[in-house]
Amino acid sequence: MGESKSRPRKWRSVCSLPPNSRFGPIGSNLEGRQPVVMSVDEYETIRLIDHEGMTQQECSEQMEVARTTVQGMYDTARKKLAASLVEGKPLFIEGGEYRLHDHNGQGLGRCGRGCRWRSRMTEIEGENHQ
């Protein structure tokens, strides 16, 4: 009998981990409320499309996956954001199928304006020129 071959995992390229990964209603008792869990790669689609203003196609190129993959992750991420806001549930950002950019000098502009690594390097370069 033949072995079933699964597709190799396609890692999504992510600029960096979010600076904050836990969110919730202020002043509410969160005990017993099941958190909404958004993956890091879903978060990256929200960051690139909604915060950086990229198209889904640009986001897919940035994350090195198909546009349809980005579309699915983005739709799921928006539903999770809405559930957290509307239902007053905590939002946790964790896990997913991603790999972090190595920021080795190639394609430094690829992460978008919100790249924390790139803005830190610009800050350091400015200090060195003074």
Side-chain angles (χ1 to χ4, degrees):
M1 303 275 151
E3 291 181 30
S4 66
K5 294 185 180 187
S6 60
R7 286 177 68 170
R9 182 172 293 197
K10 177 70 175 169
W11 297 102
R12 289 92 190 245
S13 186
V14 169
C15 174
S16 62
L17 295 176
N20 299 296
S21 61
R22 302 280 188 266
F23 303 90
I26 297 172
S28 294
N29 181 0
L30 300 180
E31 233 175 275
R33 291 191 190 186
Q34 196 69 352
V36 174
V37 179
M38 178 184 292
S39 68
V40 172
D41 40 340
E42 290 168 341
Y43 160 83
E44 185 75 345
T45 65
I46 294 291
R47 186 185 77 79
L48 293 173
I49 294 170
D50 291 335
H51 186 68
E52 296 293 331
M54 288 185 180
T55 65
Q56 288 185 6
Q57 182 62 41
E58 291 167 330
C59 180
S60 73
E61 292 166 6
Q62 167 69 28
M63 294 183 72
E64 301 174 0
V65 294
R67 190 197 56 76
T68 53
T69 301
V70 165
Q71 183 177 22
M73 288 189 302
Y74 181 65
D75 289 345
T76 301
R78 289 185 60 140
K79 286 178 182 159
K80 289 177 179 181
L81 277 174
S84 176
L85 292 172
V86 172
E87 298 170 22
K89 293 182 174 182
L91 175 69
F92 295 175
I93 302 172
E94 57 189 36
E97 297 179 5
Y98 68 94
R99 64 175 170 73
L100 295 174
H101 289 172
D102 60 10
H103 295 107
N104 62 3
Q106 297 175 350
L108 288 180
R110 294 188 56 205
C111 296
R113 293 181 311 275
C115 175
R116 286 180 291 285
W117 183 88
R118 190 175 72 183
S119 52
R120 178 65 185 135
M121 291 309 296
T122 303
E123 190 177 299
I124 290 169
E125 288 172 2
E127 291 170 3
N128 290 339
H129 289 290
Q130 292 179 357

